[in-house]
Amino acid sequence: MAASPAASRRQSTTSSRRSGELPGGGGARSQRPSYGRQFSSYSARSSQVSRSGSFTAAAQRVAGAFTSCFVPRVKVKTEEEEEVKSRGTECHVSIDSVGSGQEGRALTIADLSKATSNFSEKNIVKQGGSSTMYRGKLKDGSLIAVKCVRKLNGQYITAELWRELETLQNMEHQNLARLLGFFERTNDSLIVLEYVSNGSLREHLDESCGNGLELAQRLNIAIDVAHAITYLHEFKENPIIHGGIRSSVVLLTHTLAAKVTGFGLLGTAASASGSGTGSGSDATPAKGAAGYVDPEYLTTYQLTDKSDVYSFGVLLAELVTGRPPVERSRGGEARLTTKWALQKCRGGEAVVAMDPRMRRSPASVAAVERMLALAAQCVAAARKDRPMMRRCAEVLWAIRRDYHRREEPRCACHAGRTDRRVGAQVVH
């Protein structure tokens, strides 16, 4: 017997409910549409559901629609982000150079916290606008410096900068403060460096540290810095432009050997904090570099190895005069130290430009004249007219050799005269 129309409608409704489809849904379940389509489709279907009396099914549909709307989106991380994030909690470093003797020892953030007494104020060495330097002591007695760089927007450094840090960590030169490790935290980055305890060159020139520097010591420091920068410029894997050479980043050991710091990390730290670009040709000069900046950078916005040479020329003038590159307290030409010193040298008055705390002698004046002549080449307006750093080191070697050859006989004669005077006093 054929079923009545009413019975057919009831059977159709029952089978639709069993299959999970709304009445009038059109048979088999199709692929779930996007939220926008789903929301707009619901209003057309709801009237049919209401007519069939299935309020429960309609409520479930509404709940499903709004649930899918308010589920937070999951950010899909790129492979590069995952690589960088995975490195944030560990950094394998060799601390053999600072006295541990344990090659491949892995430092942790917990080690740094303990070494600095939980980053105590009493261990602060230097504090700046966006960074703080702490002194730390590891279990084995090794001294380290930990620079804490605050992030401006919480971003992590890129994989490219991680590779640069790994390159820097492999650099070993007696005149470079060694990079021991780098750690990422949510709000800051931690740079671990070899600790050099005898202050900076600027502090020694100001005599806020040490007992003053004689010309022979200043020549040694200039040669050490020249060697360090030459090593960076000629590094076999990836030549490095320092981009921030100045007296405050030249640290001195107890024997007054120079160790340059800040190489490559100036741009890296800025990138990690979201405040600048990475090191290299697009790097920006470091803060506090007034007077050291290559004037061509102001037009090209590119730093090159010759930009470091320019800064080194300014440093030479600073070593000779003892003055910072810019002295706002002085008036006229003397305000710009490099320009003033070179003018004195060209006028035959190099002795006037000499730091008054240095001893005068024919040998010292001759050495100063040659140092300022080299400085003049380094700060040439056109980059092509500046010497390479290797050439600067060779010239300084020759200046130091000739200075000692001329100075030693004079010192010997002076010592002989002193001995004769003492002997005469004893006889009388």
Side-chain angles (χ1 to χ4, degrees):
M1 181 182 294
S4 66
S8 297
R9 283 197 299 272
R10 284 195 299 272
Q11 184 177 359
S12 174
T13 301
T14 303
S15 61
S16 297
R17 289 175 182 171
R18 286 175 183 171
S19 63
E21 291 291 321
L22 290 176
R29 183 186 296 268
S30 60
Q31 185 176 357
R32 188 175 185 178
S34 64
Y35 167 69
R37 288 182 57 195
Q38 183 181 20
F39 189 83
S40 62
S41 300
Y42 165 71
S43 59
R45 294 176 181 176
S46 60
S47 59
Q48 297 177 13
V49 175
S50 299
R51 285 195 297 268
S52 67
S54 180
F55 179 79
T56 302
Q60 290 174 349
R61 285 288 181 178
V62 172
F66 279 90
T67 300
S68 63
C69 177
F70 291 106
V71 170
R73 295 181 179 180
V74 178
K75 181 181 177 181
V76 179
K77 297 183 188 251
T78 64
E79 291 183 4
E80 180 177 291
E81 288 175 329
E82 289 289 352
E83 177 186 357
V84 170
K85 189 79 173 177
S86 66
R87 300 187 188 188
T89 57
E90 58 181 37
C91 185
H92 295 281
V93 298
S94 168
I95 57 175
D96 182 65
S97 62
V98 291
S100 73
Q102 300 178 28
E103 191 69 26
R105 162 103 159 79
L107 286 176
T108 65
I109 292 180
D111 292 334
L112 302 185
S113 182
K114 188 171 183 181
T116 58
S117 301
N118 199 24
F119 299 97
S120 170
E121 289 186 2
K122 69 180 182 180
N123 286 322
I124 293 178
V125 177
K126 189 181 296 184
Q127 199 159 16
S130 61
S131 66
T132 304
M133 181 76 80
Y134 296 88
R135 177 181 56 249
K137 189 174 184 179
L138 299 175
K139 284 189 209 175
D140 61 359
S142 303
L143 295 177
I144 58 172
V146 182
K147 186 172 185 178
C148 180
V149 183
R150 288 183 288 280
K151 296 180 182 178
L152 297 183
N153 57 9
Q155 71 180 40
Y156 286 88
I157 65 170
T158 64
E160 179 182 357
L161 285 177
W162 267 114
R163 288 189 289 271
E164 180 181 335
L165 285 165
E166 290 171 350
T167 299
L168 294 175
Q169 192 174 319
N170 292 330
M171 289 185 170
E172 289 193 47
H173 190 279
Q174 62 182 356
N175 299 122
L176 291 175
R178 190 176 176 198
L179 172 67
L180 301 177
F182 188 95
F183 295 82
E184 284 270 61
R185 297 196 296 185
T186 303
N187 298 318
D188 55 24
S189 301
L190 302 178
I191 303 169
V192 189
L193 299 165
E194 174 186 358
Y195 181 68
V196 185
S197 60
N198 199 24
S200 69
L201 173 58
R202 184 67 257 164
E203 291 170 329
H204 280 262
L205 292 175
D206 289 338
E207 291 194 343
S208 60
C209 187
N211 300 313
L213 298 170
E214 283 298 335
L215 179 59
Q217 295 166 328
R218 299 182 193 215
L219 272 170
N220 290 340
I221 292 168
I223 291 172
D224 286 348
V225 174
H227 284 166
I229 303 170
T230 300
Y231 176 83
L232 293 176
H233 288 181
E234 299 180 1
F235 190 67
K236 59 183 179 180
E237 292 183 17
N238 183 28
I240 299 291
I241 298 168
H242 189 290
I245 298 164
R246 57 195 190 278
S247 55
S248 60
V249 302
V250 178
L251 306 181
L252 301 181
T253 68
H254 287 292
T255 60
L256 297 181
K259 285 184 176 285
V260 178
T261 187
F263 55 97
L265 295 175
L266 298 169
T268 298
S271 294
S273 64
S275 60
T277 59
S279 66
S281 61
D282 293 323
T284 55
K287 290 182 179 179
Y292 294 96
V293 180
D294 177 5
E296 279 204 20
Y297 172 80
L298 301 177
T299 56
T300 64
Y301 296 101
Q302 294 284 306
L303 293 178
T304 69
D305 55 349
K306 295 298 183 73
S307 303
D308 283 347
V309 172
Y310 183 94
S311 301
F312 182 72
V314 176
L315 185 69
L316 284 178
E318 191 173 355
L319 280 165
V320 167
T321 63
R323 302 179 185 180
V326 179
E327 280 199 307
R328 305 187 188 281
S329 60
R330 296 181 184 269
E333 296 177 349
R335 186 178 183 183
L336 301 176
T337 299
T338 305
K339 184 178 179 181
W340 170 79
L342 295 183
Q343 285 177 344
K344 293 298 181 185
C345 184
R346 283 191 290 267
E349 297 180 304
V351 66
V352 176
M354 285 180 67
D355 190 332
R357 295 164 292 186
M358 287 195 297
R359 288 193 296 265
R360 266 71 170 165
S361 70
S364 64
V365 173
V368 162
E369 288 174 346
R370 294 173 68 183
M371 288 176 71
L372 289 177
L374 177 60
Q377 295 177 40
C378 291
V379 299
R383 288 174 174 170
K384 62 182 179 61
D385 296 330
R386 301 171 197 163
M388 301 294 289
M389 276 309 309
R390 176 172 288 279
R391 177 58 183 164
C392 293
E394 292 169 353
V395 171
L396 287 168
W397 265 92
I399 294 173
R400 181 174 64 177
R401 179 198 62 209
D402 294 344
Y403 169 71
H404 285 301
R405 284 177 179 175
R406 294 185 62 180
E407 190 70 10
E408 287 170 1
R410 190 187 72 84
C411 292
C413 291
H414 177 73
R417 286 195 299 270
T418 302
D419 291 341
R420 284 194 295 272
R421 284 198 299 270
V422 171
Q425 291 172 0
V426 170
V427 170
H428 288 294

